[in-house]
Amino acid sequence: MKENKQKILERIKELREKIKYHDYRYYVLNQPEISDYEYDKLYRELKELEEKYPEFVTPDSPTQRVSGEVVKEFKPVRHTFPMLSLDNTYSQQEILDWVERISKYVSLKDIEFIVEPKLDGLSCSVHYIDGKLHTAATRGDGEVGEDVTLNVKTIKSLPLSLEPKEKIIIPKFFEVRGEVIMLKKDFEELNKELRQKGQQTFANPRNAASGSLRQKDPKITAQRPLRFYVHSSGKVEGDVVIETDEEFLNLCKKFSLPVIQHYKVCKRIEEVIDYCLEWQQKRDTLEYDIDGMVIKVNQLKYREKIGSTLKSPRWAIAYKFPAKQATTILKNVVMQVGRTGIITPVAELEPVECGGVIISRATLHNFDEVKRLGVKIGDTVLVERAGEVIPKIVKVIESKRTGKEKEIEIPKLCPICGSHIIKEEKEVAYRCPNSSCPAQIINSIVHFAKREAMDIEGLGESVAVALVEKGLVKKLSDIYFLTKHQLLTLPLFKEKKAQNLLNAIEKSKQRPLSKLLYGLGIRHVGEKAAEVLAEKFESLDKLMQASEFELQKIPEIGPVMAKSIKDYFANKYSQEIIKELKKAGVNMIQPKVEKKGPQVFSGMTVVFTGELESMTRSKAEEIVKQLGGNTSGSVSKSTSLVVVGKNPGSKYEKAKQLGIKIINEEEFLKMINVKS
Ligand code: IVH
């Protein structure tokens, strides 16, 4: 080979290695090291070189994930041995009954259990022959599945060839079985895209995963963000000895295969039950949907002894969480008016149990959603509760229609103040344009007073409602002119409570500009953007003078936000509020955080979760900034460090999942050089 060509081949190989490495970091470890831009650059270079030198293309090159073929139908694939399903249990007692049953085959003291989340996706078997991804098949009827090899090859978390990180022999035939899923955030993103294109959306991540995998054109699958997690072994042939499920999963990890997360080997059944209940509590902290836990016997020799029925193995069982979906009747729809006047239709439901709680309301988001669902008053609907958010309606059960259902009308007038409702072009939402609509004022007070904004303790929803209903607050800034005498006229207000609220209002005047900006509730301006703006402009006056162009030049501020900021300050009503806030003595300056001391947090983004004992969170955040760092209210891939106090929330789980460095308060104090 000519020297030049040799060099090109070497570069091609180097690029492939790099891309594989970064795929693994991103899709399997969840710890990317480079930006999407840098990744695309590597990919493009490889693609161009391979196009120029097709003789160097190999089937396991990252560019070969997407084939040009379109299949008419999926060919049948007979499974090496049946892909069984699992029997379900719904309570601790049923788990204990299962253990009792298997103890007839093997003494309980010898059994180890492996417990892991039950992923809500679709199962798939993948064969590697001589280390190369050869065939992938859906479960089908358990005996025969559908050949989805071309589609599965597009899943970037799955290596096209097994590449052991250490010296181990690759088995001649290596079959892994696992679940194809879609992350919740990817599902939301995909639906958004489909909606924009006017295409049919998916009801949940599982349907989206299934619909994406079973595409006849792999190019479409390639655009869908699917993930694969190995959860069980298939046929393995070659020089390997595997004695337990845990060993099998460890071997898969050595081959860079994406292995199910959060599995745990337990010796005692109490431990198993505790682990199941722990995840029942924490299920929403995961990036994907799980519908229960799977409990399996870890030792393979005992699995054989215990055996299987035709339908399911006896050595494994699923513990199903209480369903988060339920069907009920939509009794009525009420219109809620938000802080910015947006009208949200909210469904009133026949109360029903859903995932362990009784629900009687569900959001319909907006009138586009009402149209999409085709929902009417009186319909039987499927509702779903996900995370802590209010439940939503997934679909109408059409077969239950009686013909007596009533259309949901878009209101012409605001249900609170009677103003004519408007719909701005290009926007989905209908709005009440009246800034002094009581509903808007109540919601804007609650937002203004919350901890992340002006932090006025004691000014929650019920107090805000009372203040507006009594006519004591007609616009946001009026809260700074309340007297004790007025507060004492509110329900349940006595001397002490009134004084506490006055003190909290007074204290809020010293909040930095970033908090005030966020509290004003300018559309599209969230906590982070408010901070960026405050730091950039330093005073409200300067920000108010900035042009839309100037605003857009800031990397974090897009055109929509820039316009919204300009519109807000151009509005007479907002100007009046700002004037009054000034008059009340509310701080409108962003205090400059002076960088001092060793810059130990230089270039880092730090997130706090839980309660700190030695100082307030805002003090800790200030120190981080002094020492060169940035802070954020939420954990993401760009977080560098999470400081965990007492009773941490979901941010802690997320950080663990993303593999972000976590330290406790004591370690934090050491970093900032305070001995605890
Ligand atoms: S083990 C014999 N582990 O649940 C089957 N299955 O209801 C052994 N599933 O079709 C399967 N997460 O695809 C196992 N961590 C997990 C799982 C899991 C989801 C699916 C599996 C199967 C279905 C059975």
Side-chain angles (χ1 to χ4, degrees):
M1 210 184 302
K2 277 206 233 119
E3 202 197 322
N4 183 26
K5 272 206 157 181
Q6 184 62 35
K7 273 217 174 104
I8 285 162
L9 181 59
E10 267 160 32
R11 177 64 185 157
I12 286 181
K13 282 186 179 160
E14 185 189 1
L15 286 165
R16 282 181 193 152
E17 283 317 306
K18 280 194 174 161
I19 293 170
K20 279 182 199 166
Y21 172 77
H22 291 301
D23 278 342
Y24 179 70
R25 302 263 345 161
Y26 187 91
Y27 292 102
V28 182
L29 300 183
N30 229 337
Q31 294 168 344
E33 278 177 355
I34 57 172
S35 67
D36 290 358
Y37 174 75
E38 287 166 297
Y39 177 90
D40 289 344
K41 228 166 76 177
L42 295 174
Y43 191 89
R44 232 175 296 133
E45 186 185 342
L46 176 62
K47 192 134 182 111
E48 276 164 21
L49 284 177
E50 285 183 343
E51 270 162 20
K52 230 162 142 185
Y53 303 93
E55 65 271 34
F56 292 150
V57 177
T58 57
D60 64 346
S61 169
T63 57
Q64 300 305 300
R65 285 192 180 274
V66 195
S67 91
E69 271 178 77
V70 176
V71 293
K72 278 215 185 63
E73 56 191 21
F74 300 112
K75 285 203 297 281
V77 176
R78 178 161 290 279
H79 294 304
T80 52
F81 59 87
M83 288 182 81
L84 300 179
S85 55
L86 290 167
D87 284 340
N88 292 329
T89 59
Y90 296 92
S91 66
Q92 297 187 34
Q93 187 54 51
E94 285 180 347
I95 299 178
L96 293 172
D97 293 346
W98 169 69
V99 171
E100 168 89 32
R101 286 200 297 278
I102 60 170
S103 68
K104 295 200 182 95
Y105 300 86
V106 178
S107 164
L108 207 52
K109 67 175 186 348
D110 296 330
I111 297 181
E112 275 178 9
F113 301 97
I114 183 159
V115 191
E116 64 205 33
K118 185 167 188 300
L119 305 177
D120 201 5
L122 67 154
S123 48
C124 199
S125 144
V126 183
H127 302 174
Y128 285 89
I129 299 182
D130 290 327
K132 302 273 182 261
L133 197 162
H134 185 273
T135 306
T138 60
R139 178 169 178 270
D141 64 4
E143 297 278 343
V144 177
E146 291 174 321
D147 186 336
V148 283
T149 312
L150 295 180
N151 292 349
V152 165
K153 275 187 164 177
T154 68
I155 303 177
K156 288 208 178 145
S157 59
L158 257 184
L160 295 176
S161 54
L162 301 178
E163 277 161 25
K165 296 209 200 72
E166 52 193 81
K167 262 207 150 161
I168 33 172
I169 302 167
I170 298 177
K172 182 129 197 60
F173 190 96
F174 195 67
E175 179 190 0
V176 293
R177 292 179 174 184
E179 211 75 0
V180 175
I181 60 157
M182 195 176 280
L183 300 188
K184 291 186 270 192
K185 68 170 185 337
D186 289 336
F187 157 74
E188 297 292 346
E189 192 71 18
L190 172 64
N191 261 358
K192 205 165 122 192
E193 230 174 79
L194 292 173
R195 211 170 292 138
Q196 274 165 6
K197 287 190 200 150
Q199 292 175 8
Q200 183 80 36
T201 52
F202 291 104
N204 53 44
R206 190 168 54 108
N207 288 3
S210 168
S212 302
L213 186 71
R214 300 185 70 262
Q215 287 284 339
K216 300 279 160 72
D217 182 357
K219 277 204 229 52
I220 299 183
T221 311
Q223 288 162 10
R224 302 283 171 82
L226 294 174
R227 305 272 173 140
F228 183 89
Y229 286 106
V230 175
H231 58 52
S232 28
S233 54
K235 179 173 139 182
V236 177
E237 241 177 37
D239 283 336
V240 269
V241 186
I242 303 166
E243 292 190 347
T244 63
D245 198 40
E246 189 186 20
E247 278 174 26
F248 168 74
L249 295 177
N250 278 333
L251 181 63
C252 287
K253 282 189 198 162
K254 287 186 185 148
F255 289 141
S256 302
L257 283 160
V259 167
I260 180 132
Q261 298 167 314
H262 309 294
Y263 64 82
K264 183 179 178 185
V265 175
C266 303
K267 290 254 182 332
R268 294 177 330 115
I269 193 65
E270 291 80 5
E271 225 185 310
V272 170
I273 292 175
D274 283 349
Y275 197 57
C276 288
L277 297 178
E278 183 184 329
W279 277 106
Q280 182 166 323
Q281 287 297 317
K282 298 196 299 195
R283 64 191 286 195
D284 294 328
T285 63
L286 289 172
E287 283 192 288
Y288 39 79
D289 281 339
I290 63 172
D291 56 352
M293 299 295 281
V294 181
I295 310 165
K296 310 175 203 181
V297 169
N298 190 26
Q299 301 103 320
L300 305 187
K301 62 176 183 203
Y302 294 151
R303 288 187 179 182
E304 234 172 274
K305 266 185 128 173
I306 299 168
S308 305
T309 67
L310 276 180
K311 188 181 145 273
S312 47
R314 271 191 220 99
W315 46 261
I317 197 104
Y319 168 69
K320 295 289 280 280
F321 297 147
K324 288 206 155 186
Q325 286 194 337
T327 50
T328 186
I329 292 170
L330 191 161
K331 291 195 309 191
N332 192 19
V333 173
V334 291
M335 302 299 156
Q336 252 176 19
V337 187
R339 161 167 67 81
T340 51
I342 289 178
I343 312 276
T344 306
V346 176
E348 290 184 340
L349 309 166
E350 189 70 50
V352 63
E353 203 226 83
C354 184
V357 295
I358 305 284
I359 59 168
S360 53
R361 289 186 139 214
T363 178
L364 280 161
H365 299 293
N366 54 51
F367 292 97
D368 270 14
E369 178 79 351
V370 171
K371 201 165 141 202
R372 185 183 74 83
L373 290 166
V375 64
K376 295 178 182 177
I377 294 168
D379 263 335
T380 301
V381 290
L382 181 69
V383 288
E384 181 180 84
R385 205 167 59 87
E388 264 84 82
V389 294
I390 55 168
K392 65 173 187 185
I393 292 183
V394 182
K395 66 171 183 187
V396 175
I397 314 287
E398 304 247 0
S399 57
K400 293 272 170 89
R401 281 251 161 102
T402 60
K404 288 193 193 133
E405 293 78 13
K406 263 181 31 211
E407 291 287 340
I408 299 166
E409 307 273 348
I410 301 173
K412 297 216 164 31
L413 303 177
C414 169
I416 308 294
C417 70
S419 305
H420 278 277
I421 283 175
I422 56 161
K423 181 177 188 296
E424 269 155 43
E425 228 186 306
K426 286 202 220 136
E427 291 215 1
V428 184
Y430 286 79
R431 294 202 307 129
C432 162
N434 174 14
S435 335
S436 42
C437 168
Q440 287 193 44
I441 297 175
I442 291 168
N443 288 324
S444 52
I445 296 172
V446 174
H447 174 79
F448 188 79
K450 68 183 184 194
R451 186 151 76 117
E452 299 80 7
M454 297 299 269
D455 195 16
I456 307 177
E457 217 185 308
L459 186 45
E461 185 163 350
S462 57
V463 176
V465 169
L467 286 170
V468 173
E469 277 179 357
K470 285 218 176 271
L472 297 177
V473 173
K474 293 203 171 66
K475 57 179 183 310
L476 185 62
S477 46
D478 291 348
I479 60 167
Y480 285 104
F481 300 94
L482 288 166
T483 63
K484 193 187 278 180
H485 179 71
Q486 287 174 326
L487 289 183
L488 286 171
T489 66
L490 300 181
L492 300 175
F493 265 73
K494 298 241 163 60
E495 170 70 26
K496 185 150 179 252
K497 193 166 171 179
Q499 191 56 51
N500 283 349
L501 181 53
L502 286 178
N503 292 349
I505 292 173
E506 188 59 31
K507 197 168 142 213
S508 76
K509 292 180 184 171
Q510 302 313 321
R511 295 284 278 171
L513 173 63
S514 54
K515 307 290 177 186
L516 172 67
L517 265 182
Y518 175 57
L520 287 175
I522 305 169
R523 290 175 78 195
H524 306 296
V525 178
E527 236 183 310
K528 184 78 207 159
E531 203 165 311
V532 170
L533 289 166
E535 267 158 24
K536 170 99 192 146
F537 292 96
E538 293 169 2
S539 78
L540 192 67
D541 285 338
K542 280 200 209 137
L543 172 63
M544 286 173 81
Q545 283 156 21
S547 70
E548 215 172 306
F549 178 68
E550 230 175 304
L551 289 167
Q552 273 194 49
K553 272 199 312 204
I554 306 168
E556 291 90 345
I557 314 291
V560 176
M561 211 198 293
K563 179 167 185 315
S564 169
I565 296 167
K566 256 343 268 176
D567 287 351
Y568 179 86
F569 290 124
N571 181 293
K572 286 253 158 5
Y573 184 76
S574 324
Q575 286 170 0
E576 173 69 16
I577 287 178
I578 290 166
K579 201 173 98 199
E580 292 289 303
L581 290 174
K582 263 190 196 158
K583 206 159 92 189
V586 174
N587 167 57
M588 309 227 158
I589 306 280
Q590 184 71 354
K592 252 214 154 81
V593 180
E594 218 183 302
K595 299 231 186 275
K596 55 181 182 197
Q599 301 289 290
V600 286
F601 296 108
S602 172
M604 291 169 85
T605 303
V606 182
V607 175
F608 290 88
T609 175
E611 302 145 35
L612 298 178
E613 284 176 341
S614 55
M615 63 184 88
T616 62
R617 190 180 288 189
S618 47
K619 181 75 201 161
E621 287 180 343
E622 191 188 321
I623 294 175
V624 167
K625 286 180 189 160
Q626 281 170 354
L627 301 179
N630 251 319
T631 59
S632 166
S634 57
V635 173
S636 73
K637 281 184 192 140
S638 52
T639 308
S640 335
L641 181 69
V642 173
V643 183
V644 179
K646 257 174 59 188
N647 305 321
S650 60
K651 287 184 224 172
Y652 177 44
E653 289 307 321
K654 184 143 186 222
K656 276 202 287 191
Q657 226 178 67
L658 294 178
I660 290 164
K661 189 172 174 200
I662 299 171
I663 60 170
N664 59 25
E665 184 167 357
E666 204 178 313
E667 290 164 300
F668 173 70
L669 294 176
K670 267 199 201 119
M671 273 186 92
I672 62 174
N673 217 358
V674 178
K675 302 272 178 303
S676 63

